[in-house]
Amino acid sequence: MSDTLLSVRGVETYYGNIRALAGVDIDVKRGEIACLIGANGAGKSTLMMTICGDPQARAGTITFEGEDITRLPTHRIARLRIAQSPEGRRIFPRMTVYENLQMGASLDNLKYFDEDVEKIFTLFPRLKERQAQRGGTLSGGEQQMLSIGRALMARPKLLLLDEPSLGLAPLIVKQIFDAIKILNKEQGLTVFLVEQNAFAALKLSNRGYVMVNGKVTMSGTGMELLANPEVRAAYLEGGRH
Amino acid sequence: MEYFIQQLVNGLTLGSIYGLIAIGYTMVYGIIGMINFAHGDIFMLGGFAALIIFLVLTSVFVGLPTVLLLLLMMAAAMLTAALWNWTIEKVAYRPLRGSFRLAPLITAIGMSITLSNFVQVTQGPRNKPIPPLVSSVYNVFGISISLKQIVIVVLTTVLLTVFWYVVNKTALGRAQRATEQDRKMAALLGIDVDRTISITFIMGAGLAAVAGTMYLMYYGVVVFTDGFIPGVKAFTAAVLGGIGSLPGAVIGGLLIGLIESLWSAYFTIDYKDVATFSILAIVLIFKPSGIFGRPEVEKV
Ligand SMILES: Nc1ncnc2c1ncn2[C@@H]1O[C@H](COP(=O)(O)OP(=O)(O)O)[C@@H](O)[C@H]1O
Ligand SMILES: [Mg+2]
């Protein structure tokens, strides 16, 4: 058995008649951090959601641990331990921080909740202070931490993060990227992340992909892409570092 | 003064029934953003199921204890109503999820007509009476309180407590609230959204069925049109309380019950329904979000 955890092959996704993904190939290996960079509207979020079956791919296949998940409904995909912190964070606004975390632990019926929630509170102490507060009243940074924390509560084998740094102050971005690094190093968590903050993301990642107009145009190790002149010109120089 | 308190007691009883029905409207609206116009008919079906099981049981067994009889009637009503509401959601509403906003509304009205006509055809168009089950009346400081009223208010309180606990403290309730607030995200967390919505229809039907049984017991008759007037009143209660809000449904129900009985007591009884529906119109004009309502949230 190979060490490929997630494999995306020739995936096409449509919104109505508009093709947002035009044949995407991506591999994420067990234990690595992979990232996907690309301009606004390239189709990055669409890929993240297509992996989770919402919307479903119209063509191509997605396999997870060797199993074809292309046609599975979203909740069944989640039950295979693919957790996502989606674009826009999608915190349940009228649930408390604590309840949002409980929702993350739905898969195991809260079996490991007490133990896991302590880990989340160690990772993001801010959430502990805010646990009784309603999700909708959190700041952007706190919501991002909650969104990641909630995804982690599912004990994922694969963690999908869609722009965890979007709209956050540099200090909080650093805190979140540090947290991702720790989870990967210490627990061997596999992470697939989408970022506009290309520099930080590529530095963190073992493998990177560049998406343009619904297609992957370049791939390589994080270091290779960082050194690539085209990538530098398009996503790094003059971009947000 | 005694007359006034007497009307409060009557209003509270009626309001309990409306509140139980209103919860079904408000829950379904909360979770899928549509008004289940067939909900009133689900309430009426509950009443009929209770009556039928009563007739069957009393013709087979002699001298069944009233408490047991009532419990079996409620169980039959809940089972029937839940089955119907579950089916309606599955065959008539689910396929229309995600289509234009009016589609499920029109279908719901169609379902309402279908159910009431179905009952009219199978059970006949006339009032179906039931002999009085509980007839004791107590006199407390000049106010007469019937055992029926006590049963209704106590039962409603118990049901609402259980219901509150389920929605706020259990995994099922959390899944329902999550689905209500962000269906896509709930699915990303492994919640089976279709199943959660089905359960919501079943729970709403269960409460309406208990209300139907109590309505039958209170008034002693049921007829195929019973889904309409009490249904619209409960809907008014839900709107008044703030559609989508569970405490709103209960408070709205009690208010409508009180308004109705006070109006009947002090003005003309012929216009009591007009009074209720005027309230619906006034609320919709001046405070469409109701007492506990949030500003409109679009569902997709
Ligand atoms: N729900 C949607 N309906 C229609 N078009 C969409 C929807 N979501 C995204 N798109 C379109 O699909 C393309 C890719 O969007 P997206 O995946 O969000 O890009 P990215 O995350 O890279 O910014 C864009 O052209 C966008 O306008
Ligand atoms: Mg995006």
Side-chain angles (χ1 to χ4, degrees):
Chain A
M1 188 180 149
S2 81
D3 58 351
T4 301
L5 186 61
L6 176 80
S7 158
V8 176
R9 285 288 169 276
V11 160
E12 295 180 22
T13 300
Y14 289 74
Y15 293 109
N17 290 323
I18 299 162
R19 186 166 68 171
L21 297 182
V24 172
D25 297 320
I26 271 175
D27 281 309
V28 179
K29 291 196 188 331
R30 223 178 272 278
E32 76 175 358
I33 301 182
C35 80
L36 175 66
I37 61 176
N40 236 331
K44 305 182 296 297
S45 299
T46 303
L47 176 61
M48 295 305 241
M49 288 306 289
T50 304
I51 292 170
C52 293
D54 182 15
Q56 277 189 356
R58 200 175 283 182
T61 52
I62 302 171
T63 47
F64 180 70
E65 294 193 298
E67 181 186 348
D68 187 346
I69 62 168
T70 324
R71 296 277 166 265
L72 285 186
T74 303
H75 68 273
R76 296 270 308 278
I77 294 174
R79 288 172 189 181
L80 299 173
R81 309 283 161 175
I82 299 181
Q84 181 169 178
S85 161
E87 178 164 58
R89 295 149 194 157
R90 306 194 89 131
I91 298 305
F92 298 113
R94 294 182 300 283
M95 286 186 168
T96 63
V97 167
Y98 198 77
E99 284 179 318
N100 268 278
L101 292 170
Q102 285 182 316
M103 282 309 298
S106 303
L107 293 188
D108 292 307
N109 243 321
L110 305 188
K111 195 157 150 212
Y112 311 107
F113 182 81
D114 294 335
E115 173 187 341
D116 288 357
V117 81
E118 284 312 315
K119 288 186 200 155
I120 303 296
F121 286 157
T122 313
L123 197 62
F124 300 120
R126 204 41 191 263
L127 294 181
K128 185 169 188 165
E129 295 164 27
R130 303 274 152 153
Q131 55 179 302
Q133 195 173 322
R134 284 183 158 211
T137 63
L138 296 177
S139 73
E142 288 160 354
Q143 288 198 355
Q144 188 60 61
M145 292 174 199
L146 179 53
S147 181
I148 297 174
R150 183 179 59 185
L152 289 169
M153 289 303 290
R155 301 200 152 195
K157 291 177 180 163
L158 172 64
L159 177 65
L160 304 174
L161 298 174
D162 195 339
E163 303 214 35
S165 75
L166 188 72
L168 302 186
L171 202 68
I172 298 178
V173 173
K174 185 175 179 308
Q175 204 183 336
I176 285 175
F177 275 66
D178 286 347
I180 297 170
K181 211 182 309 181
I182 290 171
L183 288 165
N184 174 258
K185 287 261 144 40
E186 292 180 0
Q187 298 171 30
L189 179 67
T190 310
V191 181
F192 182 30
L193 111 138
V194 161
E195 261 302 333
Q196 295 222 7
N197 191 343
F199 183 74
L202 288 171
K203 227 172 64 176
L204 182 73
S205 301
N206 307 91
R207 177 186 311 274
Y209 295 91
V210 178
M211 182 177 270
V212 179
N213 286 333
K215 277 204 175 85
V216 171
T217 55
M218 263 182 279
S219 65
T221 65
M223 288 304 144
E224 279 166 9
L225 290 179
L226 273 175
N228 183 305
E230 273 178 70
V231 174
R232 295 191 72 90
Y235 304 104
L236 299 174
E237 268 125 41
R240 308 179 293 135
H241 290 211
Chain B
M1 190 62 200
E2 274 153 20
Y3 185 64
F4 178 74
I5 294 175
Q6 181 70 63
Q7 297 316 316
L8 287 188
V9 172
N10 296 349
L12 209 64
T13 313
L14 206 51
S16 299
I17 294 177
Y18 293 152
L20 284 180
I21 312 174
I23 287 178
Y25 280 110
T26 230
M27 273 185 102
V28 163
Y29 182 83
I31 206 157
I32 55 173
M34 71 166 280
I35 306 294
N36 178 15
F37 276 111
H39 188 66
D41 300 282
I42 292 293
F43 154 82
M44 175 272 295
L45 271 181
F48 266 97
L51 175 65
I52 291 169
I53 199 81
F54 169 85
L55 294 174
V56 170
L57 287 173
T58 47
S59 68
V60 176
F61 306 100
V62 186
L64 274 184
T66 308
V67 174
L68 181 64
L69 204 52
L70 269 177
L71 284 177
L72 289 173
M73 284 163 71
M74 271 190 285
M78 288 168 96
L79 215 64
T80 311
L83 191 66
W84 276 96
N85 218 22
W86 177 80
T87 310
I88 287 176
E89 191 274 328
K90 219 173 164 80
V91 305
Y93 301 160
R94 191 176 300 179
L96 293 173
R97 229 182 266 159
S99 71
F100 69 107
R101 262 180 95 69
L102 271 179
L105 205 68
I106 295 166
T107 314
I109 293 170
M111 279 297 128
S112 166
I113 296 169
T114 308
L115 286 183
S116 63
N117 285 6
F118 166 73
V119 173
Q120 181 184 14
V121 169
T122 54
Q123 305 298 323
R126 270 186 286 277
N127 277 349
K128 301 280 165 187
I130 187 168
L133 286 166
V134 192
S135 46
S136 324
V137 176
Y138 308 101
N139 204 306
V140 188
F141 304 115
I143 298 148
S144 67
I145 299 177
S146 67
L147 186 56
K148 282 194 286 199
Q149 292 179 315
I150 297 172
V151 169
I152 290 175
V153 172
V154 169
L155 197 56
T156 301
T157 311
V158 171
L159 278 178
L160 289 182
T161 310
V162 172
F163 181 77
W164 179 90
Y165 180 82
V166 170
V167 169
N168 288 295
K169 301 286 168 196
T170 67
L172 169 63
R174 266 198 307 280
Q176 286 178 310
R177 285 180 291 137
T179 304
E180 182 209 318
Q181 293 174 32
D182 189 339
R183 194 187 298 171
K184 237 180 214 285
M185 190 64 228
L188 283 176
L189 294 170
I191 301 299
D192 186 341
V193 168
D194 283 343
R195 184 170 163 271
T196 307
I197 292 174
S198 283
I199 294 174
T200 304
F201 273 80
I202 288 174
M203 283 168 65
L207 294 179
V210 174
T213 311
M214 295 194 288
Y215 198 79
L216 170 72
M217 176 187 82
Y218 196 54
Y219 288 109
V221 288
V222 60
V223 60
F224 77 100
T225 51
D226 268 353
F228 185 64
I229 296 283
V232 181
K233 280 182 189 161
F235 171 63
T236 306
V239 173
L240 177 61
I243 189 122
S245 156
L246 295 176
V250 178
I251 301 289
L254 292 176
L255 282 174
I256 294 292
L258 287 171
I259 290 163
E260 186 178 328
S261 62
L262 290 174
W263 181 280
S264 312
Y266 292 103
F267 304 99
T268 154
I269 194 163
D270 296 334
Y271 286 106
K272 70 179 166 57
D273 295 345
V274 177
T276 315
F277 299 137
S278 306
I279 290 166
L280 177 61
I282 291 167
V283 173
L284 286 174
I285 294 167
F286 292 106
K287 196 163 186 320
S289 60
I291 301 171
F292 292 99
R294 299 181 301 272
E296 177 78 12
V297 196
E298 279 283 324
K299 296 271 168 173
V300 274

